[in-house]
Amino acid sequence: MKIFCVGRNYVDHIKELANEKPDQPVIFMKPETALVKNNEPVYHPEFTKDMHFETELVLKICKEGKYIQPKLAGNYFDSVGLGIDFTARDIQSRLKEKGLPWEISKAFNQSAPVSEFIPKSEFGDLGQLGFHLDVNGVRRQTGDTSLMLFSITEILVFISTYFTVKPGDLVFTGTPAGVGKVEIGDRLEGYLQDRKMFDFSIR
Ligand code: MG
């Protein structure tokens, strides 16, 4: 399976990292070894001193497709979840400065914890879906899909132009502002609307 991620998809987050607003989606991938499920703890890697949480709506692909047509995009995912796109920000900043690929700062082991996936029909309008993250009981990130630069449809159309999507593939749709550093011992609780989706610790 493949894990696709969209970078720079919320304007306020683009501003907080002083990035340029993209004219097409910024896409990268993580391998299967990045996945963490079932609220298993995430072990803080030794190679970074600045691991950031990025809370993101995640789509689960249910149908193989390439060159997906906009009006059919909804047929290619049937459930949604919430995940964290963990990022070694110190390493990413160094790589970005040199114009090098981000891979090791984004795709490392356990960099993609995800919740269970829930049928999308249970959430109403996916274009107006609120989510948030609490760290140690304090609200740290609040997002709403209505603030995405590229919609779910635009993301799926773009990705499937280059990559065949297959059932089980995941798509992280980007993070709103408020990203921040985690420390060993932190507890992360994520909510989609009012529904608790994950609750795990950093060890
Ligand atoms: Mg991200």
Side-chain angles (χ1 to χ4, degrees), residues 90-142:
D90 44 358
I91 297 175
Q92 188 195 30
S93 299
R94 284 205 299 274
L95 293 168
K96 272 165 67 179
E97 253 169 47
K98 294 180 185 169
L100 292 170
W102 299 342
E103 219 78 5
I104 60 169
S105 70
K106 281 287 196 182
F108 55 87
N109 289 337
Q110 292 201 304
S111 60
V114 290
S115 68
E116 280 192 62
F117 286 81
I118 308 231
K120 64 181 181 183
S121 54
E122 293 186 25
F123 287 102
D125 182 3
L126 295 182
Q128 291 185 310
L129 197 55
F131 57 94
H132 66 266
L133 174 74
D134 292 347
V135 180
N136 302 327
V138 177
R139 187 71 45 94
R140 295 293 300 275
Q141 260 195 306
T142 305

Short mmCIF file of all heavy atoms in Angstrom, two decimals, residues 90-142:
data_model
loop_
_atom_site.label_atom_id
_atom_site.label_comp_id
_atom_site.label_asym_id
_atom_site.label_seq_id
_atom_site.Cartn_x
_atom_site.Cartn_y
_atom_site.Cartn_z
N ASP A 90 13.68 19.94 12.10
CA ASP A 90 15.08 20.38 11.99
C ASP A 90 15.74 19.80 10.74
O ASP A 90 16.44 20.50 10.00
CB ASP A 90 15.87 20.02 13.27
CG ASP A 90 15.60 18.61 13.81
OD1 ASP A 90 14.76 17.88 13.24
OD2 ASP A 90 16.24 18.25 14.81
N ILE A 91 15.48 18.52 10.49
CA ILE A 91 16.07 17.88 9.31
C ILE A 91 15.43 18.42 8.04
O ILE A 91 16.09 18.73 7.05
CB ILE A 91 15.89 16.34 9.39
CG1 ILE A 91 16.66 15.81 10.61
CG2 ILE A 91 16.36 15.66 8.11
CD1 ILE A 91 16.47 14.33 10.87
N GLN A 92 14.08 18.58 8.08
CA GLN A 92 13.40 19.10 6.89
C GLN A 92 13.92 20.49 6.51
O GLN A 92 14.12 20.78 5.33
CB GLN A 92 11.88 19.15 7.13
CG GLN A 92 11.12 19.48 5.85
CD GLN A 92 9.67 19.90 6.11
OE1 GLN A 92 9.36 20.47 7.16
NE2 GLN A 92 8.81 19.62 5.16
N SER A 93 14.13 21.34 7.51
CA SER A 93 14.60 22.70 7.22
C SER A 93 15.96 22.68 6.55
O SER A 93 16.21 23.43 5.61
CB SER A 93 14.68 23.52 8.52
OG SER A 93 13.41 23.60 9.10
N ARG A 94 16.84 21.81 7.04
CA ARG A 94 18.18 21.70 6.43
C ARG A 94 18.08 21.24 4.98
O ARG A 94 18.74 21.78 4.09
CB ARG A 94 19.04 20.69 7.20
CG ARG A 94 19.59 21.22 8.52
CD ARG A 94 20.87 20.49 8.92
NE ARG A 94 20.67 19.06 9.14
CZ ARG A 94 20.25 18.54 10.30
NH1 ARG A 94 20.00 19.31 11.34
NH2 ARG A 94 20.10 17.23 10.43
N LEU A 95 17.22 20.24 4.73
CA LEU A 95 17.08 19.70 3.38
C LEU A 95 16.45 20.74 2.45
O LEU A 95 16.87 20.89 1.29
CB LEU A 95 16.23 18.42 3.41
CG LEU A 95 16.87 17.23 4.13
CD1 LEU A 95 15.86 16.13 4.36
CD2 LEU A 95 18.07 16.69 3.35
N LYS A 96 15.44 21.45 2.96
CA LYS A 96 14.78 22.46 2.13
C LYS A 96 15.75 23.55 1.71
O LYS A 96 15.75 24.01 0.57
CB LYS A 96 13.61 23.09 2.91
CG LYS A 96 12.30 22.34 2.74
CD LYS A 96 11.27 22.71 3.77
CE LYS A 96 10.76 24.12 3.64
NZ LYS A 96 9.72 24.41 4.66
N GLU A 97 16.59 23.97 2.68
CA GLU A 97 17.59 25.00 2.38
C GLU A 97 18.47 24.61 1.20
O GLU A 97 18.85 25.45 0.39
CB GLU A 97 18.51 25.17 3.59
CG GLU A 97 18.30 26.43 4.39
CD GLU A 97 19.06 26.36 5.70
OE1 GLU A 97 20.26 25.98 5.68
OE2 GLU A 97 18.45 26.67 6.74
N LYS A 98 18.81 23.31 1.16
CA LYS A 98 19.69 22.84 0.09
C LYS A 98 18.93 22.41 -1.15
O LYS A 98 19.53 21.94 -2.12
CB LYS A 98 20.52 21.65 0.59
CG LYS A 98 21.49 22.01 1.70
CD LYS A 98 22.26 20.79 2.16
CE LYS A 98 23.15 21.15 3.35
NZ LYS A 98 23.71 19.95 3.99
N GLY A 99 17.60 22.51 -1.12
CA GLY A 99 16.80 22.09 -2.27
C GLY A 99 16.79 20.58 -2.46
O GLY A 99 16.56 20.10 -3.57
N LEU A 100 17.00 19.84 -1.37
CA LEU A 100 17.05 18.37 -1.47
C LEU A 100 15.71 17.75 -1.08
O LEU A 100 14.89 18.40 -0.42
CB LEU A 100 18.15 17.84 -0.52
CG LEU A 100 19.58 18.20 -0.94
CD1 LEU A 100 20.56 17.85 0.18
CD2 LEU A 100 19.96 17.47 -2.22
N PRO A 101 15.47 16.49 -1.46
CA PRO A 101 14.20 15.84 -1.10
C PRO A 101 14.04 15.72 0.42
O PRO A 101 15.01 15.55 1.15
CB PRO A 101 14.33 14.44 -1.73
CG PRO A 101 15.36 14.59 -2.80
CD PRO A 101 16.31 15.64 -2.32
N TRP A 102 12.78 15.77 0.87
CA TRP A 102 12.46 15.77 2.30
C TRP A 102 12.46 14.38 2.93
O TRP A 102 12.28 14.27 4.15
CB TRP A 102 11.02 16.26 2.50
CG TRP A 102 10.69 17.61 2.07
CD1 TRP A 102 11.55 18.63 1.82
CD2 TRP A 102 9.37 18.12 1.86
NE1 TRP A 102 10.84 19.74 1.45
CE2 TRP A 102 9.49 19.45 1.48
CE3 TRP A 102 8.09 17.57 1.98
CZ2 TRP A 102 8.39 20.25 1.20
CZ3 TRP A 102 7.01 18.35 1.71
CH2 TRP A 102 7.16 19.68 1.32
N GLU A 103 12.55 13.37 2.10
CA GLU A 103 12.24 11.98 2.49
C GLU A 103 12.53 11.61 3.95
O GLU A 103 11.64 11.19 4.68
CB GLU A 103 13.00 11.04 1.58
CG GLU A 103 12.22 9.82 1.17
CD GLU A 103 11.21 10.15 0.08
OE1 GLU A 103 11.19 11.30 -0.42
OE2 GLU A 103 10.44 9.24 -0.26
N ILE A 104 13.78 11.76 4.38
CA ILE A 104 14.11 11.23 5.70
C ILE A 104 13.46 12.03 6.83
O ILE A 104 13.35 11.53 7.95
CB ILE A 104 15.65 11.11 5.94
CG1 ILE A 104 16.32 12.47 5.84
CG2 ILE A 104 16.27 10.11 4.97
CD1 ILE A 104 17.78 12.45 6.33
N SER A 105 13.02 13.25 6.55
CA SER A 105 12.39 14.05 7.60
C SER A 105 10.89 13.79 7.70
O SER A 105 10.23 14.25 8.62
CB SER A 105 12.61 15.54 7.32
OG SER A 105 11.87 15.97 6.19
N LYS A 106 10.35 13.05 6.75
CA LYS A 106 8.91 12.86 6.66
C LYS A 106 8.48 11.40 6.66
O LYS A 106 7.37 11.09 7.09
CB LYS A 106 8.40 13.47 5.34
CG LYS A 106 8.22 14.98 5.34
CD LYS A 106 7.00 15.37 6.16
CE LYS A 106 6.55 16.80 5.89
NZ LYS A 106 5.39 17.17 6.73
N ALA A 107 9.31 10.52 6.12
CA ALA A 107 8.86 9.16 5.82
C ALA A 107 9.46 8.11 6.75
O ALA A 107 9.34 6.92 6.51
CB ALA A 107 9.19 8.83 4.37
N PHE A 108 10.05 8.58 7.85
CA PHE A 108 10.75 7.66 8.77
C PHE A 108 9.76 6.73 9.48
O PHE A 108 8.54 6.94 9.46
CB PHE A 108 11.60 8.46 9.76
CG PHE A 108 10.85 9.52 10.54
CD1 PHE A 108 10.21 9.21 11.73
CD2 PHE A 108 10.82 10.84 10.09
CE1 PHE A 108 9.54 10.19 12.46
CE2 PHE A 108 10.14 11.83 10.81
CZ PHE A 108 9.50 11.50 12.00
N ASN A 109 10.31 5.71 10.16
CA ASN A 109 9.49 4.75 10.91
C ASN A 109 8.54 5.47 11.86
O ASN A 109 8.96 6.40 12.57
CB ASN A 109 10.38 3.83 11.75
CG ASN A 109 11.17 2.85 10.90
OD1 ASN A 109 10.79 2.55 9.77
ND2 ASN A 109 12.27 2.35 11.45
N GLN A 110 7.30 5.03 11.90
CA GLN A 110 6.29 5.54 12.84
C GLN A 110 5.95 7.02 12.63
O GLN A 110 5.46 7.67 13.55
CB GLN A 110 6.75 5.35 14.30
CG GLN A 110 6.81 3.88 14.73
CD GLN A 110 6.75 3.76 16.23
OE1 GLN A 110 7.56 4.35 16.93
NE2 GLN A 110 5.79 3.01 16.74
N SER A 111 6.16 7.51 11.43
CA SER A 111 5.85 8.92 11.19
C SER A 111 4.40 9.13 10.77
O SER A 111 4.00 10.27 10.48
CB SER A 111 6.79 9.50 10.12
OG SER A 111 6.65 8.79 8.92
N ALA A 112 3.60 8.05 10.73
CA ALA A 112 2.21 8.21 10.26
C ALA A 112 1.21 7.42 11.11
O ALA A 112 0.60 6.46 10.63
CB ALA A 112 2.10 7.80 8.80
N PRO A 113 1.01 7.82 12.37
CA PRO A 113 -0.07 7.19 13.14
C PRO A 113 -1.43 7.56 12.57
O PRO A 113 -1.65 8.72 12.19
CB PRO A 113 0.11 7.74 14.56
CG PRO A 113 0.99 8.92 14.44
CD PRO A 113 1.75 8.81 13.15
N VAL A 114 -2.32 6.59 12.49
CA VAL A 114 -3.68 6.86 11.98
C VAL A 114 -4.72 6.24 12.92
O VAL A 114 -4.46 5.25 13.60
CB VAL A 114 -3.92 6.30 10.55
CG1 VAL A 114 -3.12 7.08 9.52
CG2 VAL A 114 -3.61 4.81 10.48
N SER A 115 -5.89 6.85 12.88
CA SER A 115 -7.04 6.35 13.65
C SER A 115 -7.68 5.20 12.88
O SER A 115 -7.25 4.84 11.78
CB SER A 115 -8.07 7.47 13.81
OG SER A 115 -8.64 7.77 12.55
N GLU A 116 -8.76 4.69 13.45
CA GLU A 116 -9.62 3.80 12.67
C GLU A 116 -10.27 4.62 11.57
O GLU A 116 -10.36 5.85 11.66
CB GLU A 116 -10.71 3.24 13.57
CG GLU A 116 -10.24 2.09 14.41
CD GLU A 116 -11.40 1.37 15.07
OE1 GLU A 116 -12.26 0.82 14.34
OE2 GLU A 116 -11.46 1.40 16.30
N PHE A 117 -10.76 3.92 10.55
CA PHE A 117 -11.45 4.61 9.45
C PHE A 117 -12.95 4.38 9.56
O PHE A 117 -13.39 3.28 9.85
CB PHE A 117 -10.88 4.16 8.11
CG PHE A 117 -9.52 4.77 7.87
CD1 PHE A 117 -8.38 4.20 8.46
CD2 PHE A 117 -9.39 5.94 7.15
CE1 PHE A 117 -7.14 4.80 8.30
CE2 PHE A 117 -8.16 6.54 6.99
CZ PHE A 117 -7.02 5.97 7.57
N ILE A 118 -13.70 5.47 9.34
CA ILE A 118 -15.14 5.46 9.55
C ILE A 118 -15.80 5.77 8.21
O ILE A 118 -15.30 6.63 7.47
CB ILE A 118 -15.49 6.57 10.57
CG1 ILE A 118 -14.61 6.38 11.79
CG2 ILE A 118 -16.99 6.63 10.84
CD1 ILE A 118 -15.18 6.35 13.11
N PRO A 119 -16.90 5.08 7.88
CA PRO A 119 -17.56 5.37 6.60
C PRO A 119 -17.82 6.87 6.44
O PRO A 119 -18.31 7.51 7.37
CB PRO A 119 -18.87 4.59 6.69
CG PRO A 119 -18.59 3.48 7.66
CD PRO A 119 -17.60 4.04 8.65
N LYS A 120 -17.48 7.40 5.30
CA LYS A 120 -17.60 8.85 5.12
C LYS A 120 -19.04 9.32 5.22
O LYS A 120 -19.31 10.48 5.54
CB LYS A 120 -16.96 9.27 3.79
CG LYS A 120 -17.65 8.71 2.56
CD LYS A 120 -16.93 9.16 1.30
CE LYS A 120 -17.64 8.62 0.07
NZ LYS A 120 -16.97 8.96 -1.17
N SER A 121 -19.98 8.40 4.96
CA SER A 121 -21.40 8.76 5.04
C SER A 121 -21.81 9.23 6.44
O SER A 121 -22.80 9.92 6.60
CB SER A 121 -22.26 7.56 4.63
OG SER A 121 -21.90 6.44 5.41
N GLU A 122 -21.02 8.86 7.45
CA GLU A 122 -21.36 9.25 8.82
C GLU A 122 -20.99 10.70 9.14
O GLU A 122 -21.27 11.19 10.23
CB GLU A 122 -20.67 8.32 9.83
CG GLU A 122 -21.21 6.91 9.77
CD GLU A 122 -20.66 6.01 10.87
OE1 GLU A 122 -20.24 6.52 11.92
OE2 GLU A 122 -20.63 4.79 10.63
N PHE A 123 -20.33 11.38 8.19
CA PHE A 123 -19.83 12.72 8.51
C PHE A 123 -20.48 13.86 7.73
O PHE A 123 -20.08 15.00 7.86
CB PHE A 123 -18.32 12.78 8.30
CG PHE A 123 -17.56 12.05 9.36
CD1 PHE A 123 -17.03 10.80 9.12
CD2 PHE A 123 -17.39 12.61 10.63
CE1 PHE A 123 -16.33 10.11 10.10
CE2 PHE A 123 -16.70 11.93 11.63
CZ PHE A 123 -16.18 10.67 11.36
N GLY A 124 -21.49 13.57 6.92
CA GLY A 124 -22.14 14.66 6.19
C GLY A 124 -21.21 15.28 5.16
O GLY A 124 -20.49 14.57 4.47
N ASP A 125 -21.19 16.61 5.10
CA ASP A 125 -20.43 17.32 4.08
C ASP A 125 -18.93 17.29 4.38
O ASP A 125 -18.46 17.94 5.32
CB ASP A 125 -20.92 18.77 4.02
CG ASP A 125 -20.20 19.58 2.94
OD1 ASP A 125 -19.36 19.00 2.21
OD2 ASP A 125 -20.49 20.79 2.85
N LEU A 126 -18.18 16.55 3.57
CA LEU A 126 -16.74 16.43 3.82
C LEU A 126 -15.99 17.72 3.47
O LEU A 126 -14.82 17.87 3.81
CB LEU A 126 -16.15 15.28 3.00
CG LEU A 126 -16.65 13.88 3.37
CD1 LEU A 126 -15.94 12.84 2.51
CD2 LEU A 126 -16.44 13.57 4.84
N GLY A 127 -16.67 18.63 2.82
CA GLY A 127 -16.07 19.92 2.51
C GLY A 127 -16.13 20.89 3.68
O GLY A 127 -15.61 22.01 3.61
N GLN A 128 -16.79 20.47 4.75
CA GLN A 128 -16.90 21.33 5.95
C GLN A 128 -16.77 20.45 7.18
O GLN A 128 -17.71 20.30 7.96
CB GLN A 128 -18.26 22.03 5.98
CG GLN A 128 -18.43 23.06 4.90
CD GLN A 128 -19.75 23.80 5.06
OE1 GLN A 128 -20.80 23.21 5.21
NE2 GLN A 128 -19.68 25.12 5.04
N LEU A 129 -15.59 19.85 7.31
CA LEU A 129 -15.39 18.88 8.37
C LEU A 129 -14.35 19.45 9.35
O LEU A 129 -13.22 19.70 8.97
CB LEU A 129 -14.88 17.58 7.72
CG LEU A 129 -14.96 16.29 8.51
CD1 LEU A 129 -16.37 16.02 9.00
CD2 LEU A 129 -14.50 15.14 7.60
N GLY A 130 -14.76 19.64 10.57
CA GLY A 130 -13.85 20.19 11.57
C GLY A 130 -13.06 19.08 12.26
O GLY A 130 -13.54 17.95 12.39
N PHE A 131 -11.85 19.39 12.66
CA PHE A 131 -11.05 18.43 13.43
C PHE A 131 -10.11 19.19 14.34
O PHE A 131 -9.86 20.38 14.14
CB PHE A 131 -10.29 17.48 12.49
CG PHE A 131 -9.37 18.13 11.49
CD1 PHE A 131 -8.03 18.32 11.78
CD2 PHE A 131 -9.84 18.56 10.24
CE1 PHE A 131 -7.17 18.91 10.86
CE2 PHE A 131 -9.00 19.15 9.31
CZ PHE A 131 -7.66 19.32 9.62
N HIS A 132 -9.64 18.52 15.40
CA HIS A 132 -8.69 19.19 16.29
C HIS A 132 -7.81 18.19 17.01
O HIS A 132 -8.09 16.99 17.05
CB HIS A 132 -9.40 20.13 17.26
CG HIS A 132 -10.29 19.46 18.26
ND1 HIS A 132 -11.63 19.27 18.05
CD2 HIS A 132 -10.02 18.94 19.47
CE1 HIS A 132 -12.17 18.67 19.10
NE2 HIS A 132 -11.20 18.44 19.98
N LEU A 133 -6.72 18.73 17.56
CA LEU A 133 -5.76 17.92 18.31
C LEU A 133 -5.53 18.54 19.68
O LEU A 133 -5.29 19.75 19.79
CB LEU A 133 -4.40 17.88 17.57
CG LEU A 133 -3.27 17.18 18.35
CD1 LEU A 133 -3.46 15.67 18.35
CD2 LEU A 133 -1.90 17.53 17.77
N ASP A 134 -5.61 17.70 20.72
CA ASP A 134 -5.23 18.12 22.06
C ASP A 134 -3.92 17.44 22.43
O ASP A 134 -3.76 16.24 22.20
CB ASP A 134 -6.29 17.72 23.09
CG ASP A 134 -7.60 18.49 22.91
OD1 ASP A 134 -7.60 19.49 22.16
OD2 ASP A 134 -8.60 18.09 23.52
N VAL A 135 -2.97 18.19 22.97
CA VAL A 135 -1.73 17.61 23.47
C VAL A 135 -1.71 17.85 24.98
O VAL A 135 -1.81 18.99 25.43
CB VAL A 135 -0.49 18.25 22.81
CG1 VAL A 135 0.80 17.62 23.37
CG2 VAL A 135 -0.53 18.09 21.29
N ASN A 136 -1.65 16.76 25.72
CA ASN A 136 -1.70 16.83 27.19
C ASN A 136 -2.92 17.64 27.67
O ASN A 136 -2.84 18.43 28.60
CB ASN A 136 -0.41 17.44 27.76
CG ASN A 136 0.81 16.66 27.32
OD1 ASN A 136 0.76 15.44 27.17
ND2 ASN A 136 1.92 17.35 27.09
N GLY A 137 -4.04 17.43 26.95
CA GLY A 137 -5.29 18.06 27.37
C GLY A 137 -5.46 19.50 26.93
O GLY A 137 -6.47 20.13 27.24
N VAL A 138 -4.49 20.05 26.19
CA VAL A 138 -4.59 21.44 25.73
C VAL A 138 -4.79 21.47 24.22
O VAL A 138 -4.06 20.80 23.48
CB VAL A 138 -3.29 22.22 26.09
CG1 VAL A 138 -3.36 23.66 25.55
CG2 VAL A 138 -3.06 22.20 27.58
N ARG A 139 -5.79 22.23 23.75
CA ARG A 139 -6.08 22.32 22.32
C ARG A 139 -4.90 22.97 21.60
O ARG A 139 -4.52 24.10 21.92
CB ARG A 139 -7.35 23.16 22.12
CG ARG A 139 -7.89 23.23 20.73
CD ARG A 139 -8.50 21.92 20.29
NE ARG A 139 -9.35 21.32 21.29
CZ ARG A 139 -10.68 21.47 21.39
NH1 ARG A 139 -11.31 22.24 20.54
NH2 ARG A 139 -11.36 20.85 22.33
N ARG A 140 -4.30 22.26 20.64
CA ARG A 140 -3.13 22.79 19.95
C ARG A 140 -3.37 23.07 18.47
O ARG A 140 -2.73 23.94 17.88
CB ARG A 140 -1.96 21.80 20.09
CG ARG A 140 -1.45 21.62 21.51
CD ARG A 140 -0.79 22.88 22.07
NE ARG A 140 0.34 23.29 21.27
CZ ARG A 140 1.57 22.81 21.42
NH1 ARG A 140 1.83 21.91 22.35
NH2 ARG A 140 2.55 23.23 20.64
N GLN A 141 -4.25 22.29 17.85
CA GLN A 141 -4.51 22.51 16.42
C GLN A 141 -5.99 22.35 16.15
O GLN A 141 -6.62 21.42 16.66
CB GLN A 141 -3.76 21.45 15.58
CG GLN A 141 -2.48 21.94 14.97
CD GLN A 141 -1.97 21.03 13.88
OE1 GLN A 141 -1.79 19.84 14.09
NE2 GLN A 141 -1.71 21.59 12.70
N THR A 142 -6.52 23.28 15.38
CA THR A 142 -7.92 23.21 14.98
C THR A 142 -7.96 23.42 13.48
O THR A 142 -7.34 24.35 12.96
CB THR A 142 -8.73 24.33 15.66
OG1 THR A 142 -8.53 24.21 17.07
CG2 THR A 142 -10.21 24.19 15.36
#
